[in-house]
Amino acid sequence: MDSKTTDSIEARLNELRAKALKAFKMQIIKIYSPVEHPAFIPDSLVSEAVRVAEETASQFLRKAVSGASAITEAPEAFLLVRDAVAAHLLDLQREIEQGRGVSLPPATLKVINERFAVVSQRTYQNLENYRPSFSGSKNKGGRPSVWDWESALIYLIVQANSLDGLPIDRGGQAQIEKIISEWFMQTTGNSPAESEIRKRASAVMKAISTAPKAGN
């Protein structure tokens, strides 16, 4: 891969990183805004910040892969994406650790580090799914060769643990299908076939309906 191509990819990745980090900083400000004493951030807010960081990292990963592969699918391009993802994860973690501009206590920093280590591991696992896309042969199709179902299902888990939870009443499967489709559209600009989405949504609904109820 020549230097001009490398420079083009790095410029694209840096642009994506800057945009993603700027948006993440705004989200962190909102998350930490209820804190009265900036040096003491509750674990609940730390967890929320890490959750948002994982969503941000997942979105950046998809856009980075798309942006780099649009220029070239040479194996070296994958390494540039990997480096950009690593740098982006560090940026996100530092942003969480900075809190509201006051040094956080060691106990809080330890919690952030432990939870972010899990996020990083999952992100790198997702990244490996795209290694085959950088085989050196240009993919002529308009859709990605690998759909990131793992990240989509992680997003569903996050929704399930939110205050509203996942829709499980009548028509719930259709709503879950819509959630999955919208997630792919927002992160990739495209969506898997309806049959593929329906298959996953059906499995989710089946798991929900057969799960033991609280108190049983």
Side-chain angles (χ1 to χ4, degrees):
M1 192 168 69
D2 58 45
S3 60
K4 183 178 179 180
T5 302
T6 299
D7 291 344
S8 296
I9 293 175
E10 289 181 338
R12 179 57 178 156
L13 294 176
N14 288 336
E15 178 185 359
L16 291 172
R17 276 183 59 199
K19 289 182 178 179
L21 185 59
K22 181 179 180 181
F24 182 69
K25 286 181 178 180
M26 298 300 296
Q27 290 176 296
I28 289 298
I29 290 173
K30 291 180 180 179
I31 293 171
Y32 287 167
S33 61
V35 177
E36 295 182 2
H37 196 299
F40 297 97
I41 297 177
D43 284 356
S44 60
L45 294 186
V46 169
S47 296
E48 175 65 10
V50 173
R51 181 190 67 79
V52 173
E54 183 160 17
E55 289 184 356
T56 301
S58 178
Q59 292 173 7
F60 172 76
L61 170 57
R62 293 304 299 256
K63 291 178 181 179
V65 169
S66 177
S69 62
I71 298 173
T72 179
E73 292 185 356
E76 294 87 349
F78 177 82
L79 301 181
L80 294 177
V81 172
R82 186 188 63 187
D83 290 345
V85 169
H88 188 55
L89 285 168
L90 286 175
D91 287 343
L92 298 179
Q93 183 171 353
R94 290 195 189 102
E95 200 62 36
I96 294 174
E97 291 175 343
Q98 286 175 1
R100 291 174 56 187
V102 177
S103 298
L104 300 179
T108 302
L109 293 176
K110 182 180 179 181
V111 170
I112 294 173
N113 188 60
E114 290 174 349
R115 297 182 181 178
F116 217 87
V118 176
V119 170
S120 297
Q121 182 181 19
R122 282 199 291 251
T123 301
Y124 288 128
Q125 288 173 345
N126 290 339
L127 173 62
E128 284 301 314
N129 291 333
Y130 298 100
R131 187 183 289 272
S133 299
F134 294 89
S135 60
S137 60
K138 191 65 178 177
N139 177 16
K140 300 300 182 180
R143 295 182 176 182
S145 57
V146 180
W147 292 106
D148 191 1
W149 289 108
E150 182 177 354
S151 292
L153 292 177
I154 288 173
Y155 180 72
L156 278 183
I157 292 171
V158 171
Q159 295 303 303
N161 285 281
S162 67
L163 292 177
D164 295 333
L166 285 177
I168 59 175
D169 297 327
R170 186 174 181 180
Q173 179 171 325
Q175 294 182 58
I176 290 176
E177 290 175 16
K178 181 180 179 182
I179 291 171
I180 295 174
S181 178
E182 289 180 346
W183 181 86
F184 275 111
M185 289 300 298
Q186 291 173 2
T187 56
T188 71
N190 210 333
S191 181
E194 290 184 8
S195 60
E196 291 297 312
I197 293 177
R198 186 170 298 113
K199 181 168 64 176
R200 269 80 174 183
S202 177
V204 170
M205 290 297 293
K206 182 177 180 181
I208 291 173
S209 65
T210 58
K213 301 296 188 292
N216 290 349

